[in-house]
Amino acid sequence: MAEELIEIDDELENGEGSEELYERVNIIADKGQEPLRVDKFLMNRVEGATRNKIQQACDNGMVIVNDKPVKSNYKVKAHDRIVVYSNKNPENTQVIPEELPLNIIYEDEDLMIINKLPGMVVHPGCGNYTGTLVNGLAWYLGDHTTTPAPEPSIPRFGLVHRIDKNTSGLLVVAKSEKAMNDLAKQFFDHTVQRRYLALVWGDFEEDEGTIEAHVGRHQRFRKIMDAYPEGEYGKEAITHYKVLERFNYVTLIECRLETGRTHQIRVHMQHIGHSLFNDDTYNGDRILKGTVFAKYKQFVENCFEIMPRHALHAQTLGFIHPRTRKPIHFESPLPDDFKAVLEKWRRYVSARPLEE
């Protein structure tokens, strides 16, 4: 039997873990496998599984055999390819509901689209137990009390993915377990359309490209991530990028994700020598490209003051609606700080010739 468990990256200390919050087990039945109900078959092969949990997963379409959802009475046969999706157990952090501005740009009976402001942590974690998006969701989806929220009917109050604390932009939140399961599978199958805008240090020779490097926890500095050659360490990560606007010393690019690893764009850009502008975790909060003149240094410092965070914005999000099965698409305009920094760079490069 060939078996692979795809786990989720551990949480980082600021409460921001992997974008994808589900795990998946892939199993191929032995050539000598005799017919056996799938719920019984999986009980001995999925850690922590019970027959009841597996039956619920089947009911929610989370057990796939040979690319098709099956019921719990399906008989597993030799060479069957079985995929089981499940949410990783929610963290034990007690969530206190808080009335917070969530900036909901779309909502129906199945899901919400939130345009997250920079500076808001998505999930409570070490050092961030209040003021998070989940605290706000607990209030919005609950009974509007400030007592600790009871065990939610859906894990993590509907979170399917995350973005970093200082990244702005779009998040989808499920309002039912069925919608959450459906969206989780779309993230796993890489069919969700996610595009980010990033301002990065340096210029590019080419107009577009693809970065393929595994992303995993840094082996010396455990609070950050790093890029590694394929197969060496970490998990597969693929980022496609396209140049949108050049400012000689920095470049505005669009990034399209195939995978959702922790800090993926930030790590990949540092990996190829183009750290995000003002990314204090991945060396972008100092001058990496440009002149030695005092006026230029002051200009960059002024930009950092205008945008005191890394320059990354989750601009677009598209997926198949879990109920209607129709594609839906959302876009988020750049926040004011990002727009202000871009305009400042436009004025700077248009007012003077290259100084290096």
Side-chain angles (χ1 to χ4, degrees):
M1 179 184 72
E3 181 172 339
E4 177 187 7
L5 174 62
I6 301 180
E7 297 178 344
I8 297 176
D9 291 313
D10 291 334
E11 295 297 316
L12 299 185
E13 291 221 356
N14 65 354
E16 299 296 314
S18 172
E19 281 210 347
E20 296 167 356
L21 299 178
Y22 271 59
E23 61 186 358
R24 174 174 61 183
V25 179
N26 296 324
I27 301 171
I28 300 177
D30 290 332
K31 63 180 179 180
Q33 176 66 48
E34 296 182 357
L36 180 66
R37 283 177 59 114
V38 69
D39 51 359
K40 291 185 178 180
F41 175 87
L42 291 174
M43 280 179 61
N44 299 322
R45 290 168 172 81
V46 178
E47 183 179 357
T50 65
R51 192 169 182 182
N52 183 54
K53 287 182 179 179
I54 294 170
Q55 289 173 349
Q56 289 180 353
C58 290
D59 292 341
N60 289 322
M62 300 295 279
V63 177
I64 312 295
V65 179
N66 302 327
D67 301 321
K68 295 181 179 180
V70 297
K71 298 298 184 183
S72 56
N73 62 357
Y74 172 86
K75 297 293 182 66
V76 176
K77 303 179 294 296
H79 304 298
D80 274 350
R81 292 176 290 108
I82 305 160
V83 179
V84 183
Y85 296 90
S86 66
N87 62 284
K88 194 178 183 187
N89 290 332
E91 296 84 352
N92 293 324
T93 305
Q94 197 173 56
V95 176
I96 304 298
E98 296 179 75
E99 189 173 9
L100 300 171
L102 295 181
N103 197 13
I104 299 168
I105 64 171
Y106 174 85
E107 182 175 11
D108 61 27
E109 59 186 318
D110 300 295
L111 57 89
M112 295 186 292
I113 302 296
I114 294 176
N115 189 19
K116 189 184 82 68
L117 297 175
M120 175 179 273
V121 173
V122 170
H123 197 283
C126 181
N128 291 286
Y129 297 110
T130 62
T132 75
L133 181 66
V134 163
N135 293 107
L137 288 172
W139 175 282
Y140 185 82
L141 298 173
D143 58 5
H144 293 189
T145 68
T146 57
T147 58
E151 187 72 18
S153 59
I154 47 178
R156 303 182 191 86
F157 296 91
L159 286 182
V160 181
H161 65 131
R162 304 180 189 186
I163 56 179
D164 295 334
K165 171 184 177 180
N166 285 322
T167 300
S168 53
L170 298 174
L171 278 169
V172 58
V173 176
K175 294 173 64 176
S176 69
E177 187 165 3
K178 184 175 181 180
M180 192 168 185
N181 292 338
D182 187 280
L183 291 167
K185 287 193 288 185
Q186 293 188 53
F187 272 91
F188 260 119
D189 294 338
H190 308 316
T191 59
V192 175
Q193 300 170 11
R194 288 174 289 172
R195 296 184 187 273
Y196 291 72
L197 292 184
L199 186 67
V200 302
W201 282 104
D203 201 356
F204 292 77
E205 293 184 3
E206 67 285 345
D207 289 331
E208 56 186 59
T210 297
I211 307 167
E212 296 186 51
H214 282 210
V215 172
R217 192 179 292 275
H218 196 290
Q219 293 182 310
R220 285 187 59 199
F221 306 105
R222 305 297 291 173
K223 294 182 181 181
I224 64 174
M225 310 300 286
D226 202 359
Y228 299 91
E230 183 177 354
E232 179 180 309
Y233 182 71
K235 298 176 183 178
E236 178 189 34
I238 301 172
T239 304
H240 305 283
Y241 66 88
K242 181 173 67 174
V243 171
L244 299 181
E245 192 170 358
R246 300 175 188 270
F247 303 105
N248 305 324
Y249 311 127
V250 296
T251 304
L252 179 66
I253 63 173
E254 176 188 87
C255 294
R256 179 171 61 84
L257 297 181
E258 280 197 27
T259 53
R261 306 306 178 200
T262 304
H263 297 178
Q264 178 173 320
I265 292 174
R266 299 164 66 189
V267 170
H268 271 177
M269 285 298 141
Q270 183 194 40
H271 179 62
I272 64 171
H274 293 285
S275 293
L276 265 64
F277 189 75
N278 207 14
D279 189 340
D280 61 358
T281 301
Y282 296 101
N283 299 319
D285 59 338
R286 56 193 177 92
I287 294 176
L288 298 180
K289 300 290 181 180
T291 75
V292 297
F293 298 117
K295 286 185 177 180
Y296 176 75
K297 293 179 180 178
Q298 186 60 56
F299 166 78
V300 172
E301 289 298 325
N302 291 342
C303 288
F304 287 166
E305 290 180 9
I306 291 172
M307 191 177 191
R309 64 177 179 104
H310 57 251
L312 185 62
H313 176 67
Q315 183 187 43
T316 68
L317 182 63
F319 50 88
I320 302 299
H321 192 283
R323 182 183 298 268
T324 68
R325 310 313 302 168
K326 294 181 179 179
I328 54 176
H329 180 85
F330 302 92
E331 292 203 14
S332 167
L334 279 173
D336 291 342
D337 61 348
F338 208 140
K339 288 191 293 186
V341 164
L342 289 181
E343 187 56 37
K344 197 170 181 66
W345 273 104
R346 290 186 185 109
R347 292 196 301 267
Y348 182 83
V349 298
S350 66
R352 56 184 48 78
L354 290 181
E355 297 172 314
E356 65 172 0

